Amino acid sequence: MKHLQDIVKTLHAPHVEGNTAVEILDVTADSRAVKAGSLFIALDGATVDGHDYVNKAVEAGAVAVLVSKPVEVNSDVCVITVEDTRVAMMSCVPYFFDYPANSMRMIGVTGTNGKTTTTHMIRHILKAQGHKVGVIGTVHIMIGDTSYPIHNTTPDVVDLQHILHQMVEEGVTHCVMEVSSHALALGRVSGVEYDTAVFTNLTQDHLDFHKTFENYLAAKCKLFEQVSKSNQVKSGKGAVINIDDAYGHRVVEKTTAPIITYSIDGSGTLNAHDVDMTPKSSRYTVSYDGHDYTVEMNTTGLFNVYNTLAAIGACLLEGISMEDIDKALKTFSAVPGRFELIEEGQPFAVVVDYAHTPDGLENILQTAKAIQENRIIVVFGCGGDRDATKRPIMGRIAAQYGDVVYVTSDNPRTEDPVQIVKDVEVGVKDGLREGTHYKVIVDRREAIQHAIQHAKSGDIVLIAGKGHEDYQILKDKTIHFDDREEARAALKEI
């Protein structure tokens, strides 16, 4: 609860009409969520203008509205007019929720791939030390051991501040958060002071939004610029950066905070070497501060070695000893939809993974290559209304590593799935090797069934692109669809 007159003080050059001596019980930009005593923020979005819903919000109980256009409301409703309601929201909403990020250690993880696994590894290590941990990311929101659904990797300002406030109320000491490039570019994390920034990697993705790779990189770097700012509320800042990545040095240049760099090439302050992997586990040596530690994990893949190093670096900055980190990692299990093995007693491996970028797909295929006994069968597609330039690139990668490639639909959204498949097929044809072949089956369920029905002993069937998702977004509707369920159903029929 806040007094409206105090909220107004957080805004730049507001024009106020009406009584500000009222109590505000909630803040929202969603007219459907308005309740008695709310401040309603009218956002002018790409498809919906919140100003069209001002009267609906007032009818639902809003006592004040924040607008950037003229509106007509009852005289007992306070109208606050600003130049840009989205900018104003970034100022007033964190204030309304008492800047909850200042009451927790905030660990932000950004990068194209690996964010989800890295955040969950960090959570696992922190929890093993007795901390109550919150997680915000692609798969879900977690407060302690309770999980809640999420719609964006990084929620908007109102939702994010509400979530952080709830975490503080429930005694969370550390929040580990996936921070997307969209969120950094659009200011969704305004009012959040991060303590540790983690950079996993940077490869092609989201160019439909950022337009150029430099813009994409600049958005990611905002997180590292933030932990370098002076006059912050909290102390103990730090950055953890993958120095093996082609852009790692560029990120290093953007922060003055203490840095831990990590590497498998031996060029970091935290290094992994002597890596030994099986289809279900990995073992390697980690060198840090003049000492060697043997790490044993119930996960596989070189990409997971990198994820582990990122998590180790973040936890070292949180003051956890390498011995305690090592002990905790031994009990970590893979995140749902991240190189998740589907077992129904079949004589071949079935793996479901979220890989939906060229680098992500290549990483998991390299892992499959390292452990393959027979053929690698790849089932994948590309999403609609997203960066179309990566479609032939991913097709080429699938054909270069896979022995059999099934090109299928992913989340076509408003695009024609047949056209998306054709875009992917261009790259597949270009990457085919002698003795390999591909098949186009637009229906994803049918493609998964066909791949599993034709798999032989020792094969690896890799179903990529959707991972943990339990839905498929079509042009006119969203349907239930889970690659893991489909794989199990197909396995039970063979």
Side-chain angles (χ1 to χ4, degrees), residues 103-106 130-134 167 171-175 318:
S103 298
M104 296 179 286
R105 294 290 296 176
M106 295 294 303
H131 298 294
K132 186 167 185 179
V133 187
M167 287 183 177
V172 168
T173 59
H174 294 70
C175 175
E318 290 302 313

Side-chain angles (χ1 to χ4, degrees), residues 107-110 113-127 133-140 142 153 174-179 198 200 307-308 310-312 314-315 332 335 338:
I107 301 171
V109 180
T110 196
N113 300 305
K115 296 187 295 295
T116 298
T117 298
T118 300
T119 55
H120 281 74
M121 284 181 175
I122 295 170
R123 171 189 178 269
H124 185 79
I125 297 166
L126 291 171
K127 184 182 175 187
V133 187
V135 172
I136 300 174
T138 307
V139 178
H140 52 202
M142 291 195 76
T153 298
H174 294 70
C175 175
V176 191
M177 182 176 170
E178 294 183 45
V179 188
V198 180
T200 59
N307 293 337
T308 305
I312 291 171
C315 291
F332 177 79
V335 177
R338 270 58 177 182

Side-chain angles (χ1 to χ4, degrees), residues 35 42 77 123 188 261 306 315 319 326 332 379 424 460 475:
K35 55 189 178 184
V77 175
R123 171 189 178 269
R188 290 181 192 161
T261 57
Y306 276 106
C315 291
D326 186 24
F332 177 79
V379 182
V424 175
I460 298 174
K475 186 173 185 178

